[in-house]
Amino acid sequence: MNKFYELAEKMQDETIKMRRDLHQMPEIGLEVEKTCDYVEGKLKEIGLEPVRYGNSGVSAIIDSGKDGECILLRADMDALPMAEDNDLPFKATNGYAHTCGHDIHAAMLLSAAKILNDNKDSFKGKVKLMFQSAEEIFKGSRFMIEHGILENPHVDAALAMHTSLDEELGSFGYNLGYMTTSCDNFKITIVGKGSHGAYPHTAHDPIYAGVLLYTQFMELIAREKDPNKVATLTFGQFVAGSNSNIIPNECVMQGTLRTYNPEVREYMKNRMADAMKAIEVLTQTKIEVDYFSGVPSLYSDPELTEFFAETIKENMDLKAIKDSKIMASEDMACVAEKVKTTYLMLNMKVRGCEAAHHNPKVMFNEDALKYGTAIFCICAVAFLNK
């Protein structure tokens, strides 16, 4: 059995405790002060010198003292603005919840940091730790990149993991190439001319324009997108009007575009713009779009990912599930644009729990934490020593 897995097993109780500590202090967005304090404190306990990125992130370097490359190990640590619905003794009570498992990611990386720092004689080069906020709103990774996380020392490769609920304990998923979809969240505001409902000919109806726009966007998926390529275009909000007999002045629609292929992403956004211009002319309204958040598709470098997958299979008794892709988006994609990156999915489904991520009833199997801790260590050492 690999020594790093044995060490991860020995740390399992401590890793679970850290996970539960973090679970009870969920924070959202870029302001995760208590979480940063906790992570910073744990890194200092193990002898590292953490660097604070405001209240939005923490980093530290594990330096072997020997020349070599630098690998970045990343964990997100923000929660979601929702209350959890379960009977866990460590349930959060502040109205926020770790229903995506970021508390798990952070705890596994904290344990990996201790193991790697205690075993610096086992590798050359440096390990850089990245604990980031605001993954859920696609801002945390960019924030830390802008503030130099990928330099001093320069990062040569990166590894991140995410909880998965596709299968029960004992497996991990990976893909050679695009792993997560891009995401473009948008808000469309249609400004028309209101009127009494009995005199529609005197109005420029924004609801009518919105319906046409909705239909045309669906046609882009049905008739213009190559059926062999994945893309979704979904509306989650359509708001207009206040009464049954009043044509309003304004209609607001919000939605999301997702795809793996950058060319499909660009094509769809251009055609969405064409549709909005055409409907503006047809309905005599003014249509504006705001892409208020988004990230590219996360590219999991094939050579690096194959190397890590084989390393894990050689050193741990875990089932490897190739061609694992997810339709969710991930701001680790911003790191992957800069350096070669691998993104893995660690399965930790609880038997009998059918709730998905971002569901108030979701549960994660804590027995998987030792696997994630070991994967961070084994892959980092293998990369630095190859």
Side-chain angles (χ1 to χ4, degrees):
M1 182 66 70
N2 181 279
K3 82 166 184 176
F4 290 108
Y5 176 71
E6 291 178 348
L7 291 169
E9 271 194 314
K10 291 178 181 177
M11 279 202 69
Q12 175 75 337
D13 289 345
E14 185 176 344
T15 309
I16 290 173
K17 182 184 184 305
M18 289 190 290
R19 182 263 165 142
R20 294 182 178 186
D21 289 344
L22 290 165
H23 192 87
Q24 294 177 82
M25 60 175 80
E27 297 173 291
I28 64 171
L30 285 164
E31 290 293 320
V32 292
E33 182 177 5
K34 291 180 180 178
T35 306
C36 285
D37 287 345
Y38 184 89
V39 168
E40 195 174 57
K42 290 296 181 182
L43 294 175
K44 287 179 178 178
E45 282 180 16
I46 63 178
L48 297 176
E49 298 179 1
V51 175
R52 186 76 165 256
Y53 292 71
N55 289 325
S56 300
V58 180
S59 179
I61 296 169
I62 303 171
D63 189 347
S64 70
K66 300 182 283 289
D67 290 341
E69 294 188 290
C70 176
I71 185 169
L72 178 79
L73 303 180
R74 177 270 202 168
D76 42 13
M77 53 186 186
D78 57 316
L80 285 154
M82 62 192 302
E84 59 182 309
D85 182 11
N86 58 51
D87 296 320
L88 293 173
F90 52 92
K91 175 181 176 179
T93 58
N94 66 350
Y96 300 150
H98 273 294
T99 53
C100 202
H102 296 183
D103 53 332
I104 291 170
H105 305 163
M108 294 189 302
L109 186 54
L110 283 171
S111 287
K114 176 173 174 49
I115 292 170
L116 290 168
N117 195 54
D118 288 345
N119 291 272
K120 289 185 286 190
D121 59 338
S122 297
F123 61 91
K124 58 185 179 180
K126 299 177 178 68
V127 177
K128 183 177 283 191
L129 309 172
M130 176 181 178
F131 295 87
Q132 70 152 90
S133 65
E135 188 282 325
E136 296 292 354
I137 57 173
F138 307 140
K139 292 184 178 180
S141 180
R142 282 194 179 101
F143 177 85
M144 294 188 76
I145 292 170
E146 289 168 0
H147 287 79
I149 186 69
L150 300 181
E151 301 300 333
N152 300 317
H154 173 75
V155 171
D156 298 292
L159 171 65
M161 267 183 290
H162 201 290
T163 60
S164 176
L165 300 172
D166 291 338
E167 295 196 13
E168 293 180 16
L169 200 68
S171 63
F172 71 97
Y174 68 100
N175 189 58
L176 307 181
Y178 290 108
M179 179 74 177
T180 71
T181 61
S182 61
C183 177
D184 291 290
N185 293 325
F186 57 86
K187 177 181 179 180
I188 295 173
T189 303
I190 305 171
V191 179
K193 177 184 175 184
S195 176
H196 194 293
Y199 305 99
H201 60 289
T202 66
H204 298 153
D205 189 349
I207 295 178
Y208 173 55
V211 171
L212 290 177
L213 196 59
Y214 182 96
T215 303
Q216 186 56 44
F217 278 17
M218 297 305 104
E219 289 293 325
L220 293 178
I221 294 292
R223 285 293 176 265
E224 293 198 25
K225 181 192 69 68
D226 184 339
N228 293 310
K229 296 176 180 177
V230 175
T232 62
L233 181 50
T234 303
F235 280 98
Q237 183 187 61
F238 192 121
V239 178
S242 60
N243 209 321
S244 61
N245 66 343
I246 301 171
I247 296 174
N249 284 316
E250 186 176 284
C251 173
V252 175
M253 308 167 71
Q254 292 197 71
T256 184
L257 169 68
R258 295 170 188 253
T259 181
Y260 295 108
N261 189 310
E263 293 178 1
V264 173
R265 183 189 188 195
E266 183 179 5
Y267 177 82
M268 292 295 291
K269 290 177 75 172
N270 288 337
R271 291 297 286 147
M272 288 163 66
D274 291 342
M276 286 184 278
K277 290 176 185 177
I279 291 169
E280 266 190 331
V281 173
L282 180 64
T283 62
Q284 301 181 73
T285 58
K286 179 66 176 176
I287 302 177
E288 295 183 351
V289 62
D290 173 25
Y291 287 97
F292 59 86
S293 71
V295 287
S297 177
L298 193 161
Y299 189 73
S300 201
D301 182 84
E303 183 178 354
L304 181 68
T305 302
E306 189 75 74
F307 172 72
F308 282 150
E310 291 302 316
T311 298
I312 295 167
K313 287 187 284 185
E314 289 170 6
N315 289 280
M316 297 175 67
D317 185 21
L318 288 180
K319 174 185 174 184
I321 305 172
K322 193 176 179 180
D323 301 323
S324 296
K325 300 168 75 172
I326 60 174
M327 285 300 296
S329 302
E330 161 65 82
D331 82 345
M332 186 66 184
C334 299
V335 173
E337 283 188 314
K338 308 288 185 182
V339 299
K340 57 185 179 182
T341 295
T342 288
Y343 193 77
L344 303 175
M345 302 299 294
L346 181 63
N347 280 304
M348 49 181 64
K349 183 180 179 65
V350 173
R351 185 172 297 177
C353 179
E354 298 303 322
H357 291 87
H358 294 213
N359 184 301
K361 292 182 178 293
V362 70
M363 305 279 280
F364 301 96
N365 191 332
E366 291 181 326
D367 290 341
L369 270 67
K370 60 189 175 188
Y371 297 131
T373 299
I375 286 171
F376 272 134
C377 296
I378 290 168
C379 288
V381 170
F383 174 80
L384 294 172
N385 289 339
K386 68 179 174 59

